[in-house]
Amino acid sequence: MSKLTAQNQFLDLSDYGRSFGKFMAQQLKNTRFTPIHVTLLFGLSGLIAVYCILIEQYYLAAFFILLKSGIDAADGELARLKKTPSYTGRYLDSLFDILLNLIFLMTICYVSKTTVWLTILGFVGLQLQGTLYNYYYVILRTKSVGGDCTSKVFEYKTPRALPGESQQSVAVLFRLYTLAYGVFDKVIHWMDPEAYKVKTFPNWFMTLLSLYGLGFQLLIMAVMLPLGWIEYIIPFFIAYTFLIFALVGIRKELIN
């Protein structure tokens, strides 16, 4: 089942791994593999990419970064096929994403001549970009589908565990999730606190916004690495952050 109704589906530039994710989920549908296993697998792919960066095998690093994006799409697809949505999987997926983003940038910092302070700034920018995308996207999903029970626009309290998962695990992961993402969520909400009142977002706007999706961010890294532009990756993401003001401005002025 799609996350969006037909009229709200848009060209998501960050979701190029979806076809692979669906194929992988179909192969695992009748096996003992769970969505959590798939999440662990995309984490492993990300760590292999990190190792490839460290040994300056940038083509291999690009391959495993893109593979990570494909596998990342498979855990949610498998959860929908098996009808086993869980907060555990949702928070674990997000925690793996932010941790891998930090490790990717710190590894690039180590291999290149980028300073630690610029790397931290680049990481903050990268997370704000992804948070803006997720903020608007989750608003669209909750308004158009209503059946997506594990993603919420505002996450202020520990959710009740779904069947098949431990409430204690959900509570711990929720706490870690809020620690990792809370500041970024608050900044984006502060920038556009009225966005949730919008009835829907036009498809062209969501396609433009998908330039900030994690998949597209990783695609940029995967292209820049083999081109020998490792020195420019972190400065690029710092500059790329300023597009946030344009996107929020477009939403406020044109989409009500």
Side-chain angles (χ1 to χ4, degrees):
M1 184 182 77
S2 174
K3 297 178 182 179
L4 298 169
T5 53
Q7 64 268 27
N8 285 322
Q9 290 179 20
F10 62 94
L11 175 61
D12 189 340
L13 301 175
S14 71
D15 202 29
Y16 51 84
R18 183 64 51 185
S19 296
F20 176 82
K22 288 182 177 180
F23 172 79
M24 183 176 180
Q26 285 289 347
Q27 308 314 304
L28 298 176
K29 179 181 177 181
N30 298 316
T31 71
R32 293 183 178 180
F33 274 87
T34 69
I36 301 296
H37 292 143
V38 178
T39 300
L40 294 174
L41 189 58
F42 90 63
L44 177 61
S45 182
L47 291 176
I48 294 173
V50 167
Y51 175 72
C52 291
I53 295 172
L54 284 172
I55 62 174
E56 300 184 13
Q57 295 293 319
Y58 296 142
Y59 282 96
L60 276 176
F63 171 79
F64 282 105
I65 287 173
L66 295 179
L67 180 62
K68 182 264 182 191
S69 290
I71 300 173
D72 196 359
D75 53 5
E77 293 292 340
L78 186 60
R80 282 184 283 277
L81 285 175
K82 286 179 175 277
K83 297 184 177 7
T84 55
S86 72
Y87 288 107
T88 301
R90 179 255 193 274
Y91 294 134
L92 193 63
D93 184 296
S94 296
L95 288 169
F96 270 41
D97 280 337
I98 194 170
L99 182 61
L100 284 172
N101 284 350
L102 179 60
I103 296 173
F104 281 148
L105 293 191
M106 292 305 295
T107 304
I108 290 168
C109 170
Y110 178 79
V111 173
S112 68
K113 298 176 182 178
T114 312
T115 66
V116 172
W117 290 111
L118 276 180
T119 302
I120 293 171
L121 190 59
F123 173 73
V124 170
L126 193 75
Q127 291 308 128
L128 286 173
Q129 295 162 29
T131 301
L132 183 71
Y133 170 78
N134 289 328
Y135 180 50
Y136 290 145
Y137 186 38
V138 172
I139 290 173
L140 182 65
R141 282 166 61 178
T142 54
K143 287 179 180 291
S144 67
V145 178
D148 181 16
C149 57
T150 61
S151 296
K152 301 183 185 303
V153 179
F154 304 110
E155 309 221 29
Y156 295 139
K157 62 180 181 178
T158 305
R160 181 176 297 178
L162 295 170
E165 62 179 341
S166 160
Q167 182 62 52
Q168 183 178 9
S169 296
V170 171
V172 170
L173 288 170
F174 175 76
R175 180 60 178 165
L176 292 173
Y177 173 85
T178 54
L179 286 173
Y181 287 93
V183 172
F184 303 113
D185 288 342
K186 286 180 173 62
V187 170
I188 294 301
H189 180 242
W190 172 79
M191 292 183 69
D192 193 1
E194 304 297 315
Y196 73 97
K197 295 180 180 179
V198 175
K199 184 177 181 180
T200 189
F201 299 114
N203 292 347
W204 63 264
F205 177 73
M206 293 305 300
T207 295
L208 182 61
L209 185 68
S210 70
L211 293 171
Y212 271 174
L214 177 58
F216 198 79
Q217 292 171 325
L218 294 178
L219 177 62
I220 291 171
M221 290 187 199
V223 169
M224 294 181 78
L225 280 170
L227 287 176
W229 296 349
I230 191 170
E231 306 285 346
Y232 304 107
I233 291 177
I234 291 171
F236 171 83
F237 281 109
I238 293 172
Y240 198 44
T241 305
F242 288 96
L243 182 60
I244 287 176
F245 298 103
L247 291 170
V248 172
I250 290 171
R251 204 294 299 164
K252 289 181 175 181
E253 293 298 322
L254 301 180
I255 306 167
N256 298 299

